[in-house]
Amino acid sequence: MAIVVNKPIPEFDATATGGLKVSNTSHLGHVLVMYFYPKDNTPGCTTEAMQFRDRYKDFEKAGATVFGVSRDNMKSHDEFKAKLELPFELIADTEEKMCHMFGVVKNKIMYGKKVKGIERSTFLIGADGVLKAEWRGLKVPGHVDDVLKAVKALKKSA
């Protein structure tokens, strides 16, 4: 089932760093920011994670919980989180269930070969479990600020 803006997100269950269980209902009552990224410890993904880290207190103040999601395993996530001192949890989607549900698995060309990769994307889910906004195929510079603005606007309209 594909996700659609202004519709509830479909059911899912996942495990994040710190042993945290995350599902479509686990954070009802809280605004969620879920950002999908290709791979731990790559330049763009490291920059994006650090930008979410550096603005984390602003997201918290605006009432949002941030999660990073990639296909990396928990060991990779634990090391990435520790190395960058990330204050938020990372979801290990090793079976790509969430990636497919959110429609972020795309055909890419890498070194002249077709590969399936993760399209850098962010989703803003309201406290009611409804998808409020999405950013797909985005570029890292300025993105975190755009998401934070949307979170603050959502808080004002609530």
Side-chain angles (χ1 to χ4, degrees), residues 21-103:
K21 297 289 183 203
V22 184
S23 73
N24 55 303
T25 57
S26 63
H27 288 75
L28 285 176
H30 297 274
V31 172
L32 287 183
V33 172
M34 297 183 109
Y35 79 93
F36 287 75
Y37 63 98
K39 191 156 182 50
D40 291 342
N41 294 304
T42 56
C45 298
T46 297
T47 299
E48 185 177 26
M50 291 188 319
Q51 288 179 0
F52 272 109
R53 176 197 69 197
D54 294 348
R55 299 302 302 270
Y56 184 73
K57 284 196 180 351
D58 296 323
F59 279 99
E60 267 191 327
K61 204 160 105 182
T65 302
V66 176
F67 287 102
V69 185
S70 83
R71 301 180 295 182
D72 294 299
N73 63 34
M74 204 55 76
K75 181 180 186 297
S76 175
H77 275 350
D78 284 336
E79 291 168 359
F80 188 55
K81 186 176 189 263
K83 178 176 154 187
L84 297 181
E85 298 177 3
L86 302 178
F88 52 86
E89 305 303 333
L90 301 175
I91 295 173
D93 188 31
T94 55
E95 295 176 12
E96 298 181 2
K97 287 179 182 171
M98 288 181 69
C99 291
H100 283 288
M101 184 180 100
F102 281 85

